[in-house]
Amino acid sequence: MTQAFIQNLQPIDHASAQGAQKAILDTALAQVGFIPNMYANMANAPAVLSTYLHGYALFRQESGLIAPEQEVVFLAVSQANGCTYCTAAHSMIADKVSKLAPDALQAIRAGQPMADAKLAALYAMTTTMVKTNGQPDAAAVQAFLAAGYQESDLLYIVLAISVKVLSNFSNHAFGTVVDERFAAYKVA
């Protein structure tokens, strides 16, 4: 993980939080059942956590991508941005909640090709979108569409990238420690 550059802000403790920080942490707790370390850090700027939670929920609800595909997108963004915290968290979610095929998860984490051509195309397109700042070439887009995705899926990838930038960059800033729930999926 990169070295943290925020030195004076501390994670917001839900039990002693007040005002906007308490309100957004209450929302987070209601959504996920606990306060991840990432959320406690992001709550230092409640608008950041609020925007993240809102966009994340919209991506999950409206993208049309099934849960394993959503995790492929989140993992691709997190890896491209070098966020070991989100890579660990989404690896656990992919495995335990979204039921991404174990071989696909292993391939993603190892940087190896995936056997599932459609998921591989989704991973490649998402990674390309991040690495080109949203300017993929025509061949990349055509390969993505040929795999069975729609042009509107590109817009939902943009949404996922946007929310992951909030979390990935916040985690870089704080050097966020991986929660115990995600520890088995830590990136070396």
Side-chain angles (χ1 to χ4, degrees):
M1 176 167 277
T2 59
Q3 185 175 2
F5 56 84
I6 289 181
Q7 302 296 315
N8 296 313
L9 295 177
Q10 298 300 312
I12 302 301
D13 178 46
H14 182 234
S16 60
Q18 296 181 9
Q21 291 175 331
K22 175 153 181 35
I24 195 58
L25 288 173
D26 286 346
T27 298
L29 182 61
Q31 287 181 3
V32 298
F34 78 109
I35 304 294
N37 293 335
M38 178 180 89
Y39 291 7
N41 290 335
M42 292 170 83
N44 276 282
V48 173
L49 182 53
S50 178
T51 301
Y52 174 82
L53 293 173
H54 181 74
Y56 184 90
L58 289 173
F59 176 75
R60 290 285 194 194
Q61 295 162 6
E62 295 183 12
S63 72
L65 299 173
I66 61 172
E69 291 172 318
Q70 292 173 357
E71 293 309 329
V72 168
V73 171
F74 284 143
L75 284 164
V77 177
S78 297
Q79 284 184 322
N81 284 332
C83 185
T84 56
Y85 179 95
C86 286
T87 298
H90 284 289
S91 293
M92 188 283 290
I93 295 166
D95 185 29
K96 302 295 185 193
V97 179
S98 298
K99 304 299 183 192
L100 178 63
D103 64 320
L105 179 57
Q106 182 179 357
I108 289 169
R109 288 178 55 87
Q112 299 296 317
M114 278 185 274
D116 184 313
K118 188 172 183 186
L119 290 179
L122 179 61
Y123 183 86
M125 185 76 252
T126 304
T127 301
T128 297
M129 290 288 286
V130 174
K131 291 183 176 182
T132 65
N133 294 312
Q135 300 179 64
D137 62 28
V141 174
Q142 287 308 313
F144 177 71
L145 297 174
Y149 291 102
Q150 307 299 313
E151 288 180 343
S152 61
D153 294 326
L154 290 169
L155 293 174
Y156 281 102
I157 289 171
V158 170
L159 175 58
I161 291 168
S162 299
V163 297
K164 284 287 100 189
V165 163
L166 290 169
S167 62
N168 295 166
F169 289 14
S170 294
N171 288 326
H172 295 326
F174 279 94
T176 307
V177 175
V178 173
D179 297 89
E180 187 60 36
R181 292 176 189 228
F182 312 135
Y185 298 88
K186 268 180 116 168
V187 177

